[in-house]
Amino acid sequence: NAGVMQNPRHLVRRRGQEARLRCSPMKGHSHVYWYRQLPEEGLKFMVYLQKENIIDESGMPKERFSAEFPKEGPSILRIQQVVRGDSAAYFCASSLGAENEKLFFGSGTQLSVL
Amino acid sequence: AQSVTQPDIHITVSEGASLELRCNYSYGATPYLFWYVQSPGQGLQLLLKYFSGDTLVQGIKGFEAEFKRSQSSFNLRKPSVHWSDAAEYFCAVGGHGQNFVFGPGTRLSVLP
């Protein structure tokens, strides 16, 4: 009965490289949320996806960031041409439905940009 | 727009002492309110939630929170803190079909 799985736990990239963060939601969950946690700050919503659809991406930076949740496989948060300011912990959460009843969070991916 | 404030950035209490973490929110309708706890290097764990009904809600690990609509608050309490409670605590607000908004968090330190 695995929870929300995120990998990798730690990701180091040099400026200009691409970062791909993966999130496998809990079994049976079709709603995925991505959050970013910057040092000394709270969680900031980035994007909300259902299978094959982006429902709300109001928190996503307009450039370099994209997310997908394909019919098969994990949700992917992709950051192109990373910059030092992208260094943060990225958390994924999943829920069974859209009623905000309960989010289950993964342990996060710590992205470090050198 | 919805928002959440947690006025205390860092709180230190002695083990066995009582605890109250403050949370104030701004939301246009009846909110769904949550408290999450984050241990170092870990994801978030739901402590408790309020949707409707009794304004005093009980959660896991001995925590409780009280929803006060007149004060737009949802403060988290625990009568006797344990050393293992040291962590970061996040208050969050959401609504039907809306995304969660998290507060900036309150770091709790527990002295032996």
Side-chain angles (χ1 to χ4, degrees):
Chain A
N1 186 19
V4 178
M5 304 299 292
Q6 288 187 250
N7 67 82
R9 286 299 304 275
H10 301 275
L11 182 60
V12 180
R13 285 287 179 265
R14 297 190 183 279
R15 281 180 297 171
Q17 291 184 320
E18 178 180 284
R20 290 171 67 89
L21 288 63
R22 294 175 182 76
C23 170
S24 296
M26 284 189 69
K27 186 177 181 181
H29 286 191
S30 59
H31 298 252
V32 166
Y33 306 75
W34 284 94
Y35 289 84
R36 177 165 60 178
Q37 184 178 22
L38 293 166
E40 306 304 323
E41 294 187 14
L43 287 167
K44 301 294 184 185
F45 167 76
M46 298 183 74
V47 62
Y48 164 36
L49 311 101
Q50 292 182 34
K51 283 286 186 180
E52 299 184 277
N53 289 306
I54 295 175
I55 305 303
D56 183 347
E57 56 181 349
S58 58
M60 288 277 272
K62 293 289 186 285
E63 298 177 349
R64 302 189 297 108
F65 284 72
S66 62
E68 63 177 12
F69 188 18
K71 187 176 182 180
E72 300 291 337
S75 175
I76 305 290
L77 179 67
R78 187 166 70 165
I79 311 172
Q80 296 177 297
Q81 299 176 312
V82 296
V83 300
R84 288 225 174 103
D86 297 331
S87 296
Y90 292 82
F91 287 94
C92 170
S94 73
S95 69
L96 190 60
E99 293 298 319
N100 282 341
E101 291 184 356
K102 189 170 184 176
L103 292 185
F104 292 81
F105 281 83
S107 297
T109 294
Q110 181 65 50
L111 173 64
S112 299
V113 180
L114 305 179
Chain B
Q2 59 213 59
S3 65
V4 178
T5 56
Q6 294 179 245
D8 305 304
I9 297 173
H10 187 193
I11 285 182
T12 300
V13 299
S14 298
E15 191 168 19
S18 63
L19 172 70
E20 182 169 29
L21 302 182
R22 296 182 290 166
C23 171
N24 293 95
Y25 67 90
S26 172
Y27 194 75
T30 301
Y32 298 166
L33 294 160
F34 307 81
W35 275 98
Y36 285 84
V37 60
Q38 183 184 22
S39 298
Q42 300 296 315
L44 279 77
Q45 181 182 22
L46 178 68
L47 284 176
L48 48 78
K49 62 186 185 291
Y50 171 79
F51 285 171
S52 63
D54 193 347
T55 56
L56 183 64
V57 293
Q58 302 296 322
I60 62 171
K61 302 184 180 185
F63 285 91
E64 66 177 27
E66 186 171 11
F67 170 53
K68 293 185 177 180
R69 185 188 300 275
S70 62
Q71 299 177 19
S72 296
S73 69
F74 189 56
N75 294 348
L76 182 71
R77 300 194 294 252
K78 186 170 184 177
S80 178
V81 170
H82 188 262
W83 65 265
S84 62
D85 294 324
E88 189 94 18
Y89 291 80
F90 292 93
C91 181
V93 63
H96 176 71
Q98 299 296 314
N99 297 301
F100 284 83
V101 174
F102 284 80
T106 297
R107 184 183 305 171
L108 173 65
S109 297
V110 180
L111 299 175

